[in-house]
Each structure stands twice: as structure tokens, then as C-alpha cells.
Amino acid sequence: MDVRTARARPGARVLLRATKYDGTAHWLQPFRVLSDDGNLLVTAYRARTPIYTSRGEFRSPYDSIVYFWRDRWYNVFRLSRPGCRTALWYCNVTTPPTFDGCQIGYIDLDLDVKVYPGGCIELLDEDEFEAHRVAYGYPEHVVANARRAAEEVARLAREHRFPFSCG
């Protein structure tokens, strides 16, 4: 199956498999597909379902709606406590994702952006990004795309544009 054209069926179960730039495992998380238009893959995650990370098992207290654009260097997790409104959006700066029909894959590039409904925007993990940029030898186009992605997420949030317009 061609990872550039594979589409997910609504209701299907898929697995997120994120790595670091050197290929080491970083994150495994199950999702249920809500929709897939060929560019934007929208998934859901239920609170307290196990997530396997490089630091061990984690169980998020949040239900999540997650937006993966195949042509963007970030994804957006809209997080809410079960039965409540959006608590925050957590945005991972990554390579554009691939999808093979069963798994979503991307390289985590360390930078994250946290957006709160009240308008507060936080850029996170700049120190980790700089350390890994050197340690893993991020090419200049990767560095430029990562920084541009963090700026784009912040701009969309400031302008209350999708996906920061829903909550």
C-alpha cells in the first residue's frame, strides 16, 4: 500500500508509532479513526488507554481528538477531560506523517506548542530541540521546517483558526 495515498476508514483502529530522528522508538498510541480526506486524518483517543513511551507506560487523563495533516510538520491533540470542554491543545512538531493503512508514523522533532482556551500559548522543549539538533545532526531544512511549524501553530492559535476554533 502506498503510504502517500492510503486512507483510513472511519471507525478503524490505527496505531501511532513515533520515533526520534535516530530511529529509536518514542511513542506508541492507539487511536480510532474519525475521518480521513486524504490530507487530514482525524483520530480519537479515550482517556486512560495505555500509551507506551520511551519513558514507560502513560495513561492520559484526557480524551483526545487528534489532527494529522499529511503535508504539515506538526499535529494537534485537542485534549479534554471526559465530559468536559477543551482543556488545551498540545501540538507536536514532527515530520509530516505517513500512513500505511494500519499505522501513522512520524519523527518527533522535540518542539511542542501548548495552547490554552484563554489564549495563552507556550513554546516547549526548545532546549531538547537544540540538543537533539546537534546530537542527531538535523539537516538545515528539518530545522527550518520545525521552527516554521511552531510559528504556524502559534499564529493559527492567535487567530483562533482551525483546529483552535473548536472546543
Side-chain angles (χ1 to χ4, degrees):
M1 181 171 282
D2 187 340
V3 297
R4 293 165 300 182
T5 60
R7 285 205 187 173
R9 288 182 347 276
R13 302 280 180 197
V14 297
L15 182 68
L16 167 63
R17 185 179 299 271
T19 66
K20 287 299 190 177
Y21 199 78
D22 68 350
T24 57
H26 177 57
W27 198 268
L28 288 171
Q29 184 172 5
F31 292 107
R32 183 176 45 84
V33 174
L34 298 179
S35 66
D36 185 0
D37 69 6
N39 183 43
L40 175 58
L41 172 58
V42 183
T43 64
Y45 164 85
R46 293 190 55 92
R48 294 176 185 66
T49 303
I51 300 168
Y52 302 97
T53 76
S54 56
R55 297 178 184 132
E57 184 180 301
F58 172 70
R59 292 177 186 253
S60 173
Y62 297 105
D63 286 337
S64 304
I65 303 296
V66 188
Y67 305 92
F68 297 98
W69 291 267
R70 288 175 174 87
D71 62 349
R72 296 187 189 180
W73 286 68
Y74 59 87
N75 54 63
V76 177
F77 284 61
R78 189 176 87 205
L79 306 173
S80 60
R81 299 261 182 202
C84 299
R85 295 181 54 95
T86 299
L88 64 107
W89 291 266
Y90 198 91
C91 314
N92 300 288
V93 174
T94 70
T95 58
T98 59
F99 180 66
D100 68 3
C102 298
Q103 290 184 19
I104 301 164
Y106 62 73
I107 298 170
D108 183 275
L109 297 172
D110 314 305
L111 287 175
D112 299 299
V113 180
K114 200 184 268 190
V115 177
Y116 294 93
C120 180
I121 301 168
E122 296 177 43
L123 179 62
L124 307 172
D125 303 325
E126 290 179 274
D127 53 342
E128 187 179 347
F129 176 75
E130 284 303 315
H132 287 163
R133 181 185 64 78
V134 173
Y136 298 146
Y138 292 172
E140 195 49 47
H141 81 278
V142 169
V143 173
N145 279 308
R147 290 189 173 134
R148 200 169 15 254
E151 291 168 6
E152 180 178 335
V153 165
R155 180 181 50 76
L156 290 172
R158 279 192 306 275
E159 295 173 358
H160 303 286
R161 293 184 46 205
F162 182 81
F164 306 104
S165 58
C166 51

